[in-house]
Amino acid sequence: MTEGVHGVAGPGYIPGIMGIGGNTFTVGVLGSYGGLNVGDEAILSCVLDCVRHRTPEAKVVVFSRNPEHTRVSHSVSAVVPWQGVSRDRTLAEVRELDLLMLGGGGVLFDQDARLYARVVRTAQDSGVPTFAYAIGVGPLSEPEDRNAAREAVEEMTDVVVRDEESKLVLEDVGVNRPVTVTADPALLLKAQPFTTEMLAREGVVKSGPLVGLSVREPGRAAQNLDEDSYHSLIAEMADFLVNRLDANLLFVPMERDDIRHSHAVMSHMSSPERGRVLNERYSPGQILGLMRHLDMVVGMRLHFLIFATLTGVPLLPLPYAGKVFDFARAVGAPTLTGVARQEVGPLLAEADRLWDERPERSRMLLAQAEELKRRAHETCERYAALARRIASGGGHDAGAERP
């Protein structure tokens, strides 16, 4: 029996699926891929895993921001650039597809939404079915991006988002078509070993509680962050963990620029010698494997919190955006109102409570993780159903229908 995701062949498995003109079924995957973000690379790994298990004979073409990184990091049939590429070249690539998948992950937000929408609309204009694979949406405040997102999503063959916040943003920009909410694809990631020797090479010796922290840069996806304010907030939090728990601290960058912001937080601490910043590059699976060494985490990055949930590490989210607030609520974690200096009192109180309740919190997280993984599987099942329809309905022509 051919295995499906997690080793069991499911009803969506399609043996010998054929594409245009009897050729191999070809799937394009478009997202923020190319080694810029650990979370996005985790998502790509899980999307590819779904495609390979449900349609094992399919050809996969990844549209990447850094094709060389994607070629080295992921075993795929082909990798093509999509940024800074002419429409004619993009058109030539998408015409060879039987299906273009957007995402998963956060892709439709200000300034980037119009870029992704251009590729999606090129496929739609060519009659190629398009599928939003558990995407994240927002913030969308700029008129050009709102219009681009609405037009692209409205014409998709099927649309799945990863959280309620994304569905609300799509409704706000005027999308009227059905939108399904599942969960982030990275919830299906498999852990890889992260040994105590690897930890020691980073200057970390486990001799007591070890708390993981995640910070991020302000930017288009975090427009309301005040750098000095949140650096000071997290520094005070970090000093509290040192003094209250006698903990050592490990800052875990999910993007390279997180390293700079981690050091900036440490510069505000009164006990910076108790902190370390993970400096080497690791795969998403290794970062997931690292979580077993941590006793608690405090974090901003969504996928850092997802990885903690998958391993049952008690977590305190710092909700700089709706997606983090939504995830905190989904796993029953404390839901603070923001990341600003005035939040320090509630933050320290929650950290104190979290530490005292960590066995119970860990059990709760593992239970919630199972439900979230079930929902993440739903996206893969919708891909399989769509691929089956396309294969039986004449390839490009299937794009006119909706599930």
Side-chain angles (χ1 to χ4, degrees), residues 205-223:
V205 177
K206 190 75 184 296
S207 58
L210 182 61
V211 177
L213 293 101
S214 164
V215 300
R216 64 156 297 146
E217 85 289 352
R220 296 193 300 272
Q223 297 171 350

Side-chain angles (χ1 to χ4, degrees), residues 222-265:
Q223 297 171 350
N224 298 320
L225 274 182
D226 178 87
E227 226 173 88
D228 289 337
S229 178
Y230 93 82
H231 286 171
S232 297
L233 171 72
I234 298 175
E236 191 160 347
M237 172 85 232
D239 281 326
F240 172 81
L241 295 170
V242 169
N243 295 323
R244 164 76 168 82
L245 310 179
D246 193 27
N248 289 311
L249 311 172
L250 180 60
F251 290 81
V252 182
M254 302 295 279
E255 287 188 7
R256 297 306 291 175
D257 203 39
D258 293 356
I259 295 175
R260 177 172 66 86
H261 288 277
S262 298
H263 284 291
V265 170

Side-chain angles (χ1 to χ4, degrees), residues 33 37-44 46 104-106 134 136 162-163 183-189 214 216 252 254-255 284 287-288 291 297 299-311 315 320 323-324 327:
Y33 307 131
N37 178 283
V38 172
D40 289 322
E41 295 304 303
I43 288 169
L44 179 57
C46 293
R162 68 183 177 187
D163 50 45
D184 195 285
L187 286 153
L188 301 178
L189 186 69
S214 164
R216 64 156 297 146
V252 182
M254 302 295 279
E255 287 188 7
I287 297 296
L288 179 56
M291 291 291 161
V297 302
M300 298 175 73
R301 290 283 187 186
L302 174 62
H303 289 92
F304 178 79
L305 300 171
I306 287 175
F307 291 174
T309 299
L310 290 173
T311 45
L315 58 91
Y320 71 90
K323 63 182 180 181
V324 179
F327 184 77

Side-chain angles (χ1 to χ4, degrees), residues 5 9 30 57 65 133 199 216 268 300 302 308 322 337 341 369:
V5 178
L30 168 67
E57 297 176 28
R65 293 178 185 267
Y133 195 109
L199 207 58
R216 64 156 297 146
H268 286 77
M300 298 175 73
L302 174 62
T337 57
R341 184 68 181 77

Side-chain angles (χ1 to χ4, degrees), residues 102-297:
L102 176 64
V107 287
L108 296 183
F109 57 89
D110 285 328
Q111 295 183 44
D112 273 24
R114 67 193 75 172
L115 303 177
Y116 288 108
R118 187 191 72 148
V119 182
V120 172
R121 293 295 288 156
T122 299
Q124 291 168 344
D125 290 344
S126 301
V128 176
T130 53
F131 175 38
Y133 195 109
I135 60 172
V137 185
L140 280 173
S141 57
E142 298 184 16
E144 184 177 350
D145 291 293
R146 292 171 65 87
N147 291 336
R150 181 181 63 255
E151 291 172 1
V153 171
E154 197 67 50
E155 295 303 317
M156 283 186 159
T157 313
D158 194 12
V159 178
V160 177
V161 297
R162 68 183 177 187
D163 50 45
E164 289 290 341
E165 174 77 10
S166 296
K167 183 173 182 176
L168 290 173
V169 173
L170 289 179
E171 290 175 353
D172 180 64
V173 303
V175 171
N176 293 313
R177 55 149 310 121
V179 174
T180 301
V181 180
T182 57
D184 195 285
L187 286 153
L188 301 178
L189 186 69
K190 300 295 193 304
Q192 296 174 338
F194 197 107
T195 65
T196 53
E197 291 76 17
M198 293 165 69
L199 207 58
R201 288 199 296 271
E202 293 281 359
V204 179
V205 177
K206 190 75 184 296
S207 58
L210 182 61
V211 177
L213 293 101
S214 164
V215 300
R216 64 156 297 146
E217 85 289 352
R220 296 193 300 272
Q223 297 171 350
N224 298 320
L225 274 182
D226 178 87
E227 226 173 88
D228 289 337
S229 178
Y230 93 82
H231 286 171
S232 297
L233 171 72
I234 298 175
E236 191 160 347
M237 172 85 232
D239 281 326
F240 172 81
L241 295 170
V242 169
N243 295 323
R244 164 76 168 82
L245 310 179
D246 193 27
N248 289 311
L249 311 172
L250 180 60
F251 290 81
V252 182
M254 302 295 279
E255 287 188 7
R256 297 306 291 175
D257 203 39
D258 293 356
I259 295 175
R260 177 172 66 86
H261 288 277
S262 298
H263 284 291
V265 170
M266 290 174 62
S267 73
H268 286 77
M269 291 175 57
S270 60
S271 304
E273 73 281 358
R274 301 294 292 270
R276 294 287 185 275
V277 180
L278 208 64
N279 285 307
E280 296 297 320
R281 288 182 180 268
Y282 298 100
S283 70
Q286 288 173 319
I287 297 296
L288 179 56
L290 165 68
M291 291 291 161
R292 71 181 181 87
H293 296 285
L294 304 179
D295 298 288
M296 187 169 87
V297 302

